[in-house]
Amino acid sequence: LAEHPSGDSRALAVKASPRMLALLASNEQAASDILEALSGLVSCMRGTTEDEYKEFVPLLDRLVTVQKPVVRREVLRWASTLFPASAPEGRYYALRLFGDPDPEISRAAETLLSGGGREVPKFADMCTFLANRALNVGAGGMLETLH
């Protein structure tokens, strides 16, 4: 899929990725196989539309708090691939993980935050996105319940 990205492969990646990311959070024994599959899927996601990448916000919001470092590291990889540097989502997950207890994740978050050059989210957009996270409002504008 990743070697020959197309609209079909991106559609498959949009459909399969949430399941694979959730599986990574719940199945440590198969982590290396799941990560390999996710590598191909994340490559297919390059160039997603805003509607497509916003579908991943609720899932990444849940996964960024998972105790397993492998899952938080994957959240950073997906955030850096899915979201443009000018989108609030492109910086939010790195901000969340900047002070992570795992030094590898903290360094990766710092690298992600310092990347993108001068391309940053508009201040008002970032404030709105952060306010929505604080109020548990999802990408679709609906209140979310945290499990």
Side-chain angles (χ1 to χ4, degrees):
L1 289 174
E3 292 175 11
H4 307 288
S6 68
D8 291 338
S9 62
R10 187 165 47 239
L12 177 61
V14 166
K15 187 175 182 177
S17 298
R19 290 185 190 131
M20 295 300 291
L21 286 163
L23 189 59
L24 179 63
S26 65
N27 191 344
E28 269 185 70
Q29 296 81 7
S32 63
D33 293 334
I34 296 166
L35 286 169
E36 186 176 338
L38 285 169
S39 292
L41 292 172
V42 76
S43 296
C44 293
M45 297 300 294
R46 296 187 197 286
T48 56
T49 66
E50 186 174 350
D51 288 339
E52 288 172 327
Y53 71 66
K54 286 198 182 258
E55 290 180 33
F56 283 84
V57 170
L59 175 63
L60 294 178
D61 280 349
R62 285 190 307 274
L63 294 176
V64 76
T65 63
V66 170
Q67 297 220 354
K68 297 174 186 159
V70 67
V71 175
R72 297 191 311 276
R73 202 172 301 116
E74 196 63 13
V75 167
L76 278 176
R77 180 165 70 147
W78 278 78
S80 67
T81 301
L82 281 175
F83 309 119
S86 61
E89 300 89 342
R91 302 295 176 123
Y92 172 72
Y93 298 102
L95 285 170
R96 284 283 306 262
L97 295 170
F98 186 71
D100 196 270
D102 184 308
E104 211 176 287
I105 293 172
S106 182
R107 278 192 301 276
E110 181 180 2
T111 300
L112 184 57
L113 286 169
S114 63
R118 299 183 66 85
E119 190 177 355
V120 295
K122 292 179 183 169
F123 183 73
D125 293 345
M126 191 69 184
C127 289
T128 300
F129 186 80
L130 291 172
N132 287 340
R133 304 278 67 68
L135 297 172
N136 294 326
V137 176
M142 302 294 291
L143 279 177
E144 296 175 354
T145 57
L146 298 176
H147 304 304

